[in-house]
Amino acid sequence: MNPTKSEYVNGGAGKMENIKIKKVKHKRKLERKKNVAAYARVSTNKDTMLHSLSAQVSYYSDLIQRTPGWLYAGVYVDEGITGTKSARPKFQQMLEDARAGKIDLILTKSISRFARNTVTLLETIRELKSLNVDVYFEEQRLHSISENGEMIISFLASYAQEESRSVSENMKWSIRKGFKQGLAWNTKVIGYQFNKGTFVIIPDEAKIVQEIYNLYLSGKGKLTIAKILNERGVLTKTNKQWRPSSVGYVLQNYLYTGNLLLQSTYKDSFITKQKTINDGVLPKYHVENNHEAIVDIDTFNKVQAEIKARQEVRKPQQAGNTPTIYKGLLVCGHCGKNYRRKKTKDKAYWMCATYNMLGKGHCPSQQVPEEILNEIVAKTLGIKILTNETLKKKVSSIVLSNDQSITINLINGGVVTKFWQHKSRRESWTEEMKEQARVKAKKGQNQ
């Protein structure tokens, strides 16, 4: 007899038991979808390059979202940054997300787009491989995680780096040859249009340059000038908001006098692209009356003298680790920017970079007195001496919100939130301040 709905199984002790066994189809284990990201980069801000970059972003976004088994993990984009620089902000963000387990696969156009520095490239793909993150180079049709991937990538990266070096050397030769003839390199500065080797004034932009010089000589600082321009909606030559550094560049640009000082700086290597002050390593070339001036030479020299005078008056930062205690740890709960340290005559404060640069209209965060911040953090963490090193062993970030809360995110995953309030004026006074007040009051009574 051949049973159909039951099986006869030896139940032990010589007895046969009739046991009904239900047949179940094996369910195939569902494969986890891959978190797929893409990296794109162009090395210049030229319109044609940015158009190409926009096309890459659209292409990758569409490709990832329409591919079965893939989950969109974002497209990371660096604009106007050479591939030899390891400190590309979006590239670094992509690596951070990969370390956090948010990415399984990275798509990129080619090895040269990913990195032209062989050392940087190999270090990166090795780290990603240890995290089980694959990088696919489309032009080479190559996966970094494949058996021969690293060997082939190493060879191709060396070729890409050599190509970068060759292009850089040819460019240097061409620029330096022009310098010897008194010809400026293609320079993009507010106030002028560089047209076939000649600087032609743009009247509206020239007025902005002159205003910056006048404001500085009237006593305004670079930060204040930047805020004035930003509040009016005035943009830089590259259509960005003004910063103290961009104001400083205008104030110290000799080009605005109608003269040229060529090769005052140079790039130290084709890999780092670090701009270095030329202190005699290479010859300099001075060209007088090269183009129409926006600022007369006397005004320019007055501004340089004023810059030097302000630098001499400014007190050097006190020795110690105080300014860097919270470096990279304090985050604004409103806009996400880091906090910066500001020091007045008597006290130090930490304030959001956006609030500091652009004002309360762009970020309503509050500045936190350093004394209060130190007290709360030290007490919460049980640390007697606060340093950046000791903090980073326990803290991943400290979020400061405009409701006067301080949220401390711990390395171990814990979260602690504390609230602060300003000390009363009487509590905040030192004995020295109290004595000065008593002396001042006594003088008033005697008059």
Side-chain angles (χ1 to χ4, degrees):
M1 180 179 177
N2 294 322
T4 56
K5 294 186 178 180
S6 61
E7 298 273 310
Y8 291 103
V9 182
N10 189 344
K15 295 182 179 179
M16 299 293 290
E17 294 184 2
N18 190 348
I19 300 175
K20 196 172 184 179
I21 299 175
K22 191 175 181 180
K23 292 183 179 179
V24 180
K25 288 186 178 180
H26 175 68
K27 290 184 178 179
R28 183 180 296 176
K29 187 178 179 181
L30 294 176
E31 292 185 5
R32 183 179 72 85
K33 290 187 176 182
K34 285 186 177 181
N35 294 311
V36 181
Y39 178 73
R41 175 189 65 81
V42 293
S43 55
T44 71
N45 279 320
K46 291 182 179 179
D47 291 341
T48 52
M49 286 291 190
L50 294 180
H51 178 74
S52 169
L53 188 62
S54 176
Q56 289 182 58
V57 173
S58 297
Y59 164 73
Y60 284 125
S61 297
D62 179 62
L63 174 64
I64 295 170
Q65 293 180 69
R66 64 180 168 81
T67 301
W70 285 5
L71 292 174
Y72 181 73
V75 178
Y76 299 82
V77 177
D78 281 313
E79 297 178 13
I81 302 176
T82 175
T84 54
K85 289 185 178 178
S86 60
R88 292 167 276 166
K90 294 301 180 182
F91 186 83
Q92 294 297 332
Q93 182 61 55
M94 179 181 69
L95 294 183
E96 285 296 322
D97 289 345
R99 294 175 187 126
K102 298 177 182 179
I103 302 173
D104 300 310
L105 171 64
I106 298 170
L107 308 177
T108 191
K109 184 178 179 182
S110 66
I111 288 173
S112 63
R113 292 293 89 193
F114 201 68
R116 280 204 176 111
N117 182 343
T118 306
V119 174
T120 299
L121 176 65
L122 292 178
E123 286 178 349
T124 302
I125 63 170
R126 282 171 184 169
E127 181 185 359
L128 291 173
K129 190 174 182 179
S130 71
L131 299 169
N132 203 30
V133 177
D134 188 15
V135 182
Y136 180 66
F137 302 96
E138 287 194 306
E139 282 190 4
Q140 290 79 23
R141 297 183 180 181
L142 183 64
H143 285 273
S144 64
I145 215 164
S146 62
E147 186 177 348
N148 296 321
E150 184 174 324
M151 181 183 69
I152 298 171
I153 289 169
S154 176
F155 172 77
L156 294 174
S158 298
Y159 176 80
Q161 182 172 311
E162 180 59 26
E163 183 183 36
S164 177
R165 185 199 66 78
S166 178
V167 170
S168 176
E169 291 301 321
N170 290 338
M171 186 69 74
K172 279 183 185 177
W173 179 85
S174 176
I175 293 171
R176 289 173 182 174
K177 181 181 178 183
F179 285 165
K180 289 179 182 179
Q181 299 170 356
L183 301 176
W185 176 237
N186 186 7
T187 304
K188 195 171 185 179
V189 293
I190 190 166
Y192 289 108
Q193 179 180 355
F194 191 72
N195 187 12
K196 296 180 180 179
T198 304
F199 290 98
V200 180
I201 283 183
I202 303 173
D204 290 342
E205 292 184 6
K207 289 178 182 178
I208 296 170
V209 172
Q210 291 167 346
E211 181 184 5
I212 290 172
Y213 275 75
N214 292 334
L215 286 170
Y216 193 78
L217 289 177
S218 73
K220 297 288 192 298
K222 297 173 188 175
L223 177 59
T224 302
I225 295 171
K227 285 182 178 179
I228 290 171
L229 297 174
N230 290 333
E231 286 170 2
R232 293 214 319 260
V234 177
L235 298 176
T236 66
K237 190 73 171 182
T238 54
N239 293 319
K240 295 179 180 178
Q241 290 193 316
W242 288 88
R243 296 182 177 276
S245 58
S246 50
V247 172
Y249 176 76
V250 170
L251 290 172
Q252 294 180 285
N253 197 333
Y254 186 60
L255 177 76
Y256 291 120
T257 65
N259 307 307
L260 292 176
L261 182 60
L262 303 174
Q263 204 156 258
S264 57
T265 62
Y266 65 94
K267 300 288 179 64
D268 62 352
S269 82
F270 78 98
I271 290 180
T272 63
K273 301 287 185 180
Q274 184 68 42
K275 186 180 286 187
T276 305
I277 301 295
N278 182 9
D279 56 2
V281 175
L282 297 170
K284 297 179 184 179
Y285 305 94
H286 186 260
V287 185
E288 293 185 358
N289 302 317
N290 180 75
H291 50 275
E292 188 178 352
I294 292 177
V295 178
D296 63 80
I297 191 68
D298 288 339
T299 300
F300 180 82
N301 287 335
K302 284 179 183 177
V303 165
Q304 307 319 302
E306 179 65 17
I307 290 172
K308 187 176 180 180
R310 293 188 193 185
Q311 288 173 341
E312 291 174 353
V313 169
R314 192 179 299 122
K315 292 181 180 180
Q317 191 64 254
Q318 292 181 350
N321 204 28
T322 302
T324 59
I325 284 179
Y326 299 106
K327 185 177 181 181
L329 292 175
L330 295 183
V331 181
C332 177
H334 183 78
C335 72
K337 293 289 186 181
N338 284 348
Y339 266 59
R340 295 176 179 175
R341 188 176 190 260
K342 289 290 178 180
K343 195 173 187 306
T344 63
K345 184 179 179 181
D346 302 312
K347 289 189 175 184
Y349 293 85
W350 287 85
M351 64 172 63
C352 169
T354 303
Y355 177 90
N356 182 42
M357 290 291 304
L358 306 175
K360 197 168 185 178
H362 290 78
C363 181
S365 59
Q366 296 189 40
Q367 57 184 16
V368 184
E370 185 173 79
E371 179 187 5
I372 294 175
L373 182 61
N374 288 349
E375 186 179 311
I376 290 175
V377 172
K379 188 175 180 180
T380 302
L381 300 176
I383 298 175
K384 291 183 178 180
I385 300 176
L386 294 175
T387 66
N388 189 254
E389 184 179 350
T390 56
L391 282 177
K392 284 197 170 182
K393 288 179 179 178
K394 293 191 173 187
V395 177
S396 59
S397 67
I398 301 174
V399 180
L400 305 179
S401 300
N402 54 5
D403 61 353
Q404 293 188 301
S405 67
I406 299 175
T407 301
I408 304 173
N409 296 303
L410 304 174
I411 293 291
N412 62 12
V415 178
V416 179
T417 300
K418 299 286 185 179
F419 289 86
W420 65 275
Q421 59 182 2
H422 288 285
K423 293 184 176 180
S424 69
R425 190 176 180 184
R426 181 177 296 175
E427 285 180 318
S428 65
W429 277 26
T430 63
E431 287 302 317
E432 183 182 357
M433 292 166 68
K434 290 176 183 177
E435 180 60 29
Q436 289 175 353
R438 282 192 288 266
V439 171
K440 188 175 181 180
K442 193 173 182 179
K443 279 185 179 180
Q445 291 174 357
N446 294 334
Q447 287 179 351

